[in-house]
Amino acid sequence: MVEGSMTQGAGQGPAARTTAAMQPFPGYAAHPPMPGYGHAAPVQAAPEYPEYPQGYTPTARDLPVIGAGAPQDVPTVELTPIAPPQPQHQPQHPPVPAGRGPLYVVGDVHGYLDELYEALAAQGLIDAHGHWAAGNARLWFLGDFTDRGPDGVGVIDLVMRLSAEAAAAGGYCKALMGNHELLLIGAKRFADTPVNSGAGTASFQAAWLLNGGQRTDMERLEDHHLQWMSRLDAIAEEDGHLLVHSDTTAYLEFGDSIEDVNDAITEALQRNDPDEVWDLFRKFTKRFAFRDEDAGPMAVRELLQTYGGSRIVHGHSPIPYLLGEVGTEDADGEDGTPLVEGPHLYADGLALAMDGGVTMAGKLLVVQLPLAG
């Protein structure tokens, strides 16, 4: 397979872009919303491409949102419902392992609920009413459900509901822990309690707001959401794909097996120590470990040799940043923003990036694995 941006199985791009500070749509808190609501937001010029070191500590704003100002500066906009998207014809896919349903993965959602409905429907995973329609298919979300986009809690509610519906149909819908789940858990539990950030005093509340936290999400977050997030696995293996959220080697610090890593992180969250949770958040906010031409493949191989699998599939770092396209003349969109057609295969074909940059006018990716070569 040739390295580069892939298009096989990619969900269709969002038809509308919502701003990062809109109020939730009517009825969201009580019931999952119907797909098809949206509002176009202006897109501004891309920021300069930042060079975050692998040891980055998130005491400042992380990757910016193109075309979005600070949450408190964006007015509330009335939304007009449009017709819900219909499932589209699915592309041809590689054979599925005997006795198991097809395997799909979803990149970072970051509160863009409408785009998630559209991308899932395009792959035939949900019907026109937003309910599971994929039988015994297997669906994995790679984390980062909230922050930056308008309805993170709505995304969590949808994933939880699809998990129950998929199980009843003989399939499953599962999710991994992202750094923004850790950030939201910390902001809810510890608020402005000071933590030792490694770069001075910080707090979860400040970091959460700085990195796209939406006050409407915090207002609607309930105990069952927190309990669900705090028990998410951090790493999984499916059909030779090692699924993680972050493109970092920090997982190696928590154990030599998938079970050990997941147990260590779950137990740390149960201890409810703000400094310990902050350390988890800090480590899983690191990025770009696989991007270097020489060191990247070595880092991927270390993880694969430790935990199994033949390829890592991750979210976290938007594909335009991995490609170095943001803020450069290489941006392909007519308005100067990056054009994402599908997941990005790199690091000698050992790593597949799934964050299509939905927060930066990119694409929310839903892809069937394995990709056809």
Side-chain angles (χ1 to χ4, degrees):
M1 184 180 295
V2 180
E3 292 193 28
S5 294
M6 307 296 297
T7 58
Q8 175 69 32
Q12 298 299 313
R17 183 71 57 218
T18 44
T19 63
M22 290 183 183
Q23 299 298 319
F25 312 136
Y28 268 20
H31 302 286
M34 288 294 297
Y37 290 82
H39 185 84
V43 178
Q44 302 171 357
E48 293 185 359
Y49 176 54
E51 287 293 339
Y52 291 117
Q54 169 66 4
Y56 170 65
T57 299
T59 53
R61 184 187 301 274
D62 197 5
L63 299 178
V65 180
I66 294 177
Q72 60 269 26
D73 297 332
V74 183
T76 300
V77 179
E78 290 293 329
L79 303 178
T80 302
I82 59 177
Q86 299 294 321
Q88 302 178 14
H89 176 70
Q90 297 184 64
Q92 294 297 316
H93 291 299
V96 174
R100 311 187 74 180
L103 173 64
Y104 294 84
V105 290
V106 184
D108 300 37
V109 182
H110 281 300
Y112 285 89
L113 182 60
D114 295 336
E115 289 78 357
L116 177 58
Y117 270 115
E118 183 178 350
L120 293 172
Q123 289 287 4
L125 293 166
I126 60 173
D127 61 24
H129 301 287
H131 294 289
W132 183 260
N136 67 343
R138 296 166 291 156
L139 178 63
W140 275 97
F141 285 80
L142 299 180
D144 278 9
F145 304 109
T146 69
D147 305 335
R148 300 195 177 114
D151 194 1
V153 170
V155 171
I156 293 173
D157 283 335
L158 174 60
V159 177
M160 293 176 70
R161 176 169 61 79
L162 290 180
S163 297
E165 293 177 356
Y172 59 74
C173 171
K174 298 183 180 181
L176 293 181
M177 175 79 70
N179 62 304
H180 279 263
E181 279 68 64
L182 292 166
L183 180 58
L184 183 58
I185 290 170
K188 184 67 171 181
R189 287 183 180 177
F190 310 120
D192 56 1
T193 300
V195 294
N196 183 4
S197 71
T201 302
S203 73
F204 275 104
Q205 180 81 1
W208 174 71
L209 289 171
L210 194 62
N211 286 286
Q214 302 297 298
R215 296 184 186 278
T216 51
D217 280 343
M218 187 64 71
E219 291 168 358
R220 295 162 53 216
L221 195 66
E222 299 181 16
D223 286 344
H224 70 276
H225 297 127
L226 286 172
Q227 293 170 7
W228 180 79
M229 286 191 295
S230 66
R231 288 171 171 80
L232 293 175
D233 285 341
I235 187 169
E237 189 273 333
E238 289 274 2
D239 300 347
H241 299 90
L242 188 65
L243 308 179
V244 297
H245 172 71
S246 304
D247 46 327
T248 178
T249 58
Y251 297 92
L252 295 167
E253 301 180 34
F254 296 93
D256 296 330
S257 71
I258 291 175
E259 183 179 9
D260 288 346
V261 173
N262 291 334
D263 287 348
I265 293 171
T266 299
E267 290 167 5
L269 288 172
Q270 301 311 312
R271 285 191 287 271
N272 212 38
D273 177 81
D275 285 319
E276 189 173 15
V277 177
W278 180 270
D279 188 57
L280 287 177
F281 167 60
R282 179 184 63 83
K283 288 175 178 175
F284 291 112
T285 303
K286 296 178 182 179
R287 62 175 80 249
F288 301 146
F290 315 144
R291 192 175 63 170
D292 183 80
E293 184 176 349
D294 297 319
M298 294 176 58
V300 176
R301 288 188 178 96
E302 185 178 10
L303 286 165
L304 294 175
Q305 290 168 2
T306 302
Y307 302 122
S310 57
R311 175 178 290 167
I312 280 182
V313 181
H314 71 83
H316 189 48
S317 291
I319 290 168
Y321 283 91
L322 289 169
L323 295 174
E325 292 178 349
V326 174
T328 75
E329 295 179 355
D330 296 329
D332 295 321
E334 293 181 1
D335 55 6
T337 59
L339 180 64
V340 175
E341 294 292 347
H344 173 55
L345 186 66
Y346 69 114
D348 290 348
L350 297 172
L352 187 70
M354 279 292 301
D355 185 348
V358 67
T359 66
M360 47 196 296
K363 179 179 293 186
L364 201 165
L365 297 176
V366 179
V367 173
Q368 184 178 347
L369 299 178
L371 295 175

